[in-house]
């Protein structure tokens, strides 16, 4: 339970965090204009980034890269070094924020083991093709991207999509290319998503280097009882991911562990709201645990070092009823979290499950805030999914919340996964996954009945086409 610790958490930012993010902003501005011709101001921003990692093992290589790029002599090796420096700086910011959060919560983390061996199954020529496109983007800069450059990586992306060992890189590149195509010509945009595109470019550039571990490297096998805390739904026009945060009680006893279960599906723009759950029919056990508030017995599932449980339906069985709020009250404080994998260390990656209760909530402008022990924390109302029952009005009436503490736009936010509230003088509990099997809201059910089931319609049409 997050009580007096909230004052410590929101009372100030870690030392050096603002300066680190300012250096990243300077680099991102230089990237937006391209490294093919760097002016004095942007050369200074690149040099400042190099100076920030001077005392690290990256120091010499990044200093050389900054000098070469500023002089107009750009190579792929130099761009990769700068990407590594940017990633390291954001990684340090992530660590500072997570340390502050862990100290406030009293949360411990399992020590990370030795790095997993690199994945050598991806043909080197495919990685070269991906890096070539990424380097061309960096040299040109976002403001110079047009339809031709946005599509220049299509052949390399198509080839790498066919390689299972390069799935993370392939999906990332495919998404970046789609955003650039939709935004082209970028020069006509009033405002560019500099941080987002620089994040995507940096991660892709590093993943395109040979030797990064595959997505399943370093996994251990675990069994036990899985107790869900709540579901975080990430929805995009062409994809949706459900990420379930849970506590794992290991079989045979031992310390409980905080884990995440993520499943994803492709979609189209017309599939929105409660209809997105229809895309996950291949995971009936997982959906039942969310909609019916059940525990799950798992047997021999892979668990990655960062705390991600690789969900396998055939190794899971729905079990007894459970209350996520009771789970949070009893087990959350003592559960051990996983260490964040090196490439995932980024302030946006901080999302820690917490229980907050006994607060007073109120609307504040377009948002909702909670006040507890004299400290105020905004709810992340922009992250409320349309496929669940949580609404800003319900948050404003709530007194208890199981949610994710996130850091965004210079401050901490609480993203609700489940709330307890009083509505019309009656206690109400609502969870993001309540509609996983079918919507329980009459208005949502009526709207869905009126429009029909878009997932079913599309499947039927696809079946007709295949039969022809």
């Amino acid at each position: 339970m997050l009580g007096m610790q909230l004052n410590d958490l929101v009372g100030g930012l870690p030392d050096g965090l603002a300066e680190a993010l300012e250096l990243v902003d300077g680099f991102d501005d230089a990237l937006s204009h391209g490294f093919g011709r760097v002016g004095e101001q942007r050369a200074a921003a690149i040099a400042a980034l190099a100076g920030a990692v001077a005392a690290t093992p990256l120091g010499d290589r990044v200093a050389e890269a900054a000098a070469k790029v500023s002089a107009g002599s750009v190579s792929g090796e130099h761009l990769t070094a700068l990407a590594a420096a940017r990633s390291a700086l954001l990684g340090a910011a992530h660590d500072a924020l997570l340390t502050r959060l862990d100290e406030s919560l009293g949360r411990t983390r399992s020590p990370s083991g030795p790095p997993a061996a690199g994945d050598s199954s991806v043909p080197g020529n495919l990685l070269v093709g991906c890096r070539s496109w990424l380097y061309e983007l960096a040299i040109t800069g976002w403001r110079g991207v047009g339809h031709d450059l946005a599509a220049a990586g299509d052949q390399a992306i198509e080839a790498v999509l066919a390689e299972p060992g390069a799935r993370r890189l392939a999906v990332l590149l495919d998404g970046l290319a789609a955003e650039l195509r939709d935004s082209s010509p970028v020069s006509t945009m009033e405002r560019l998503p500099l941080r987002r595109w620089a994040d995507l470019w940096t991660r892709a550039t590093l993943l395109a280097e040979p030797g990064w571990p595959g997505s399943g490297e370093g996994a251990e096998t675990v069994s036990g009882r899985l107790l869900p805390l709540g579901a975080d739904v990430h929805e995009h026009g062409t994809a949706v991911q459900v990420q379930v945060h849970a506590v794992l009680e290991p079989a045979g006893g031992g310390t409980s562990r905080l884990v995440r279960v993520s499943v994803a599906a492709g979609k189209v723009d017309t599939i929105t709201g409660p209809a997105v759950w229809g895309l996950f029919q291949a995971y009936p056990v997982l959906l039942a645990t969310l909609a019916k508030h059940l525990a799950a017995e798992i047997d021999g599932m892979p668990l990655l070092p960062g705390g991600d449980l690789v969900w396998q339906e055939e190794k899971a069985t729905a079990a007894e009823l459970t209350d996520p709020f009771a789970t949070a009250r009893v087990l959350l404080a003592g559960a051990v979290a996983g260490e964040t994998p090196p490439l995932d260390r980024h302030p946006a990656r901080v999302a820690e499950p917490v229980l907050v209760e006994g607060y007073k909530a109120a609307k504040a402008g377009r948002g909702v805030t909670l006040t507890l022990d004299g400290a105020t924390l905004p709810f992340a109302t922009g992250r409320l999914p349309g496929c669940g029952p949580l609404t800003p009005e319900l948050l404003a009436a709530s007194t208890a919340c199981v949610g994710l503490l996130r850091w965004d736009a210079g401050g901490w936010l609480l993203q609700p996964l489940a709330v307890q509230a009083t509505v019309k003088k009656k206690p109400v509990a609502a969870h993001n996954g309540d509609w996983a099997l079918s919507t329980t809201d009459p208005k949502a059910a009526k709207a869905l009945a009126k429009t029909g089931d878009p997932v079913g319609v599309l499947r039927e049409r696809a079946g007709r086409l295949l039969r022809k």
Side-chain angles (χ1 to χ4, degrees), residues 77-447:
E77 181 182 356
H78 299 144
L79 295 175
T80 299
L82 292 176
R86 183 185 184 277
S87 181
L89 201 55
L90 285 170
H94 165 277
D95 292 350
L97 289 165
L98 198 58
T99 298
R100 171 70 66 87
L101 184 54
D102 285 346
E103 290 174 350
S104 299
L105 300 175
R107 183 158 293 169
T108 57
R109 297 189 177 272
S110 58
S112 57
D119 188 350
S120 58
S121 63
V122 182
N125 64 308
L126 297 187
L127 297 179
V128 169
C130 295
R131 292 200 300 272
S132 177
W133 181 62
L134 290 166
Y135 295 157
E136 190 174 357
L137 288 175
I139 292 171
T140 303
W142 305 126
R143 297 186 183 279
V145 173
H147 294 286
D148 291 343
L149 181 52
D154 287 354
Q155 185 174 355
I157 294 170
E158 183 178 354
V160 80
L161 278 169
E163 289 291 331
R167 179 61 58 184
R168 284 195 299 171
L169 172 63
V171 173
L172 177 57
L173 289 175
D174 191 43
L176 175 58
E179 289 192 23
L180 293 177
R181 282 195 298 269
D182 291 343
S183 303
S184 293
V186 176
S187 59
T188 61
M189 295 178 64
E190 292 185 10
R191 185 177 180 182
L192 275 61
L194 297 184
R195 176 70 63 82
R196 173 176 173 78
W197 283 356
D199 283 343
L200 296 176
W201 177 86
T202 298
R203 185 178 177 88
T205 298
L206 296 178
L207 280 174
E209 286 292 315
W212 278 105
S215 59
E217 299 293 337
E220 62 175 303
T221 300
V222 295
S223 301
R225 189 168 69 137
L226 190 71
L227 301 164
L229 295 167
D232 180 15
V233 183
H234 308 153
E235 191 172 348
H236 189 270
T238 58
V240 60
Q241 180 191 59
V242 175
Q243 188 173 75
V244 180
H245 292 260
V247 176
L248 174 64
E249 291 184 315
T255 304
S256 298
R257 305 172 70 169
L258 280 173
V259 299
R260 293 176 300 271
V261 175
S262 300
V263 292
K267 63 184 283 293
V268 294
D269 287 334
T270 56
I271 301 176
T272 59
V276 301
W277 292 110
L279 298 169
F280 297 100
Q281 294 179 2
Y283 308 102
V285 175
L286 185 61
L287 296 187
T289 64
L290 294 175
K292 298 181 179 180
H293 303 167
L294 304 176
E297 295 290 341
I298 64 171
D299 184 13
M301 275 195 197
L303 178 65
L304 302 180
D308 289 289
L309 189 65
V310 182
W311 188 256
Q312 298 172 345
E313 276 282 314
E314 68 278 8
K315 296 180 180 179
T317 305
E320 74 280 4
L321 284 170
T322 184
D323 179 3
F325 282 92
T327 298
R329 292 185 185 106
V330 176
L331 297 175
L332 191 52
V336 175
E339 289 278 3
T340 307
L343 197 57
D344 292 342
R345 292 164 58 243
H346 188 290
R349 179 63 158 69
V350 178
E352 290 295 307
V354 295
L355 169 65
V356 190
E357 48 186 355
Y359 58 80
K360 291 185 178 180
K363 290 188 176 182
R366 295 182 178 179
V368 182
T369 62
L370 68 87
T371 301
L372 179 65
D373 296 330
T376 299
L377 185 68
F379 281 107
T381 52
R383 289 181 175 269
L384 293 178
C387 59
L390 298 190
T391 62
E393 291 73 23
L394 193 57
L395 297 184
S398 68
T399 56
C401 175
V402 174
L404 302 176
L405 271 177
R406 292 186 175 274
W407 190 87
D408 189 20
W412 293 100
L413 302 169
L414 180 62
Q415 177 188 348
L417 302 180
V419 298
Q420 291 178 334
T422 300
V423 179
K424 296 181 180 179
K425 298 182 180 181
K426 293 183 179 181
V428 173
H431 307 253
N432 275 347
D434 282 349
W435 298 352
L437 294 178
S438 62
T439 177
T440 58
D441 179 71
K443 291 183 179 179
K446 184 177 180 180

Side-chain angles (χ1 to χ4, degrees), residues 29-110:
D29 175 69
L31 179 60
S32 73
H33 288 81
F35 295 131
R37 183 178 298 177
V38 179
E40 183 177 343
Q41 181 180 352
R42 296 184 176 93
I46 297 171
L49 178 73
V53 299
T56 73
L58 290 171
D60 292 341
R61 295 183 65 180
V62 177
E64 178 187 355
K68 292 289 187 179
V69 169
S70 298
S73 178
V74 187
S75 73
E77 181 182 356
H78 299 144
L79 295 175
T80 299
L82 292 176
R86 183 185 184 277
S87 181
L89 201 55
L90 285 170
H94 165 277
D95 292 350
L97 289 165
L98 198 58
T99 298
R100 171 70 66 87
L101 184 54
D102 285 346
E103 290 174 350
S104 299
L105 300 175
R107 183 158 293 169
T108 57
R109 297 189 177 272
S110 58

